[in-house]
Amino acid sequence: MSHKLRVTVWNEFRHERNENHPASTLYPEGMHKVIADALNAAGGIDASCATLDEPEHGLTAEVLANTDVLIWWGHCAHGEVQDDIVARVHQRVLDGMGLVVLHSGHFSKIFQKLMGTCCNLKWREAAEKERLWVIERGHPIVEGIGEWVDIPHEEMYGEPFDIPAPDTLVLVSWFAGGEVFRSGCCYNRGHGKIFYFRPGHESYPTYYQAEVQKIIANGCRWAAPLCNGPKMVFGNAQPLEKLEPEG
Ligand code: ZN
């Protein structure tokens, strides 16, 4: 890309504004701000933010037209996201915008619509250790990452995770309580690339961890649209070669 990768970090931004919630202390300006700051420091990325309570959830047609990759974090307010905005994001993904869905975004309308399944899973909030194993070592999303990444305290997500089999499964998590989970899942939908990345419960400082920030930045770079990819052409087609009549 000649220009910097334009990333919009979308967050419902509700837990952080509840003074009784630990997220208000951990992320006083919102998780989106911490993620965007890390992306802007990563190099080659120009990250900005959008949140649920802005007009059109901050995702106007103009914002989306100028977004190469959208990051999505939601949890308690999935139902408040307007269907017409979901349809707008969905169309942009099919047209080539990358989408990085984080943690509880597994239950967002946009992820469910793109997956076509309910996307449910097991969970437990016990501040247990998570070990993310890299299982696709040549994949660009794990550039600069070691054999595994430990996160000291996380919410557990466990299988079954009701998603279609990923096109590429890059990371698998193990939790101290014994469960495993498909934590780094890549998909293609239309022209768009989608990366689901599991970590990031709002009560823990996960998004300050350097390896987590690196995987998110790598995920954005992987999901970037092609600048000049071929256009899909559908419908009735004239032959490219001269067709001889049979017999
Ligand atoms: Zn959570």
Side-chain angles (χ1 to χ4, degrees), residues 157-171:
Y157 278 7
E159 297 284 345
F161 182 20
D162 182 25
I163 47 170
D167 297 331
T168 310
L169 180 60
V170 181
L171 297 150

Side-chain angles (χ1 to χ4, degrees), residues 73 75 103-104 125 154-155 157 200-202:
W73 198 102
H75 179 229
H103 188 61
S104 41
E125 192 171 353
E154 253 297 349
E155 179 182 19
Y157 278 7
H201 186 61
E202 68 277 2

Side-chain angles (χ1 to χ4, degrees), residues 52-163:
L52 177 66
D53 292 327
E54 294 171 46
E56 301 182 54
H57 309 323
L59 300 174
T60 62
E62 189 186 358
V63 166
L64 289 178
N66 290 296
T67 298
D68 297 315
V69 178
L70 179 66
I71 294 180
W72 195 277
W73 198 102
H75 179 229
C76 64
H78 292 313
E80 293 180 46
V81 179
Q82 295 166 29
D83 291 338
D84 58 328
I85 306 293
V86 175
R88 184 186 287 167
V89 172
H90 184 254
Q91 188 59 51
R92 271 290 289 138
V93 171
L94 298 183
D95 288 344
M97 181 182 71
L99 180 68
V100 175
V101 175
L102 298 174
H103 188 61
S104 41
H106 73 89
F107 249 169
S108 62
K109 289 181 181 178
I110 184 60
F111 191 61
Q112 288 176 324
K113 189 176 173 78
L114 286 160
M115 295 298 105
T117 54
C118 80
C119 304
N120 211 343
L121 46 75
K122 283 203 188 80
W123 62 274
R124 171 175 63 241
E125 192 171 353
E128 67 202 84
K129 178 156 120 179
E130 173 176 10
R131 176 164 295 153
L132 286 143
W133 282 98
V134 175
I135 61 166
E136 198 65 51
R137 303 218 184 153
H139 201 280
I141 286 178
V142 290
E143 168 88 42
I145 298 296
E147 198 179 354
W148 71 83
V149 174
D150 281 349
I151 301 177
H153 304 289
E154 253 297 349
E155 179 182 19
M156 185 281 293
Y157 278 7
E159 297 284 345
F161 182 20
D162 182 25
I163 47 170

Side-chain angles (χ1 to χ4, degrees), residues 207-241:
Y207 291 129
Y208 292 99
Q209 190 170 329
E211 299 102 317
V212 170
Q213 294 179 352
K214 188 179 267 294
I215 290 170
I216 293 171
N218 288 345
C220 290
R221 294 186 186 107
W222 170 80
L226 296 179
C227 290
N228 288 302
K231 275 203 161 47
M232 286 195 280
V233 178
F234 300 110
N236 185 265
Q238 293 301 311
L240 300 179
E241 314 293 336

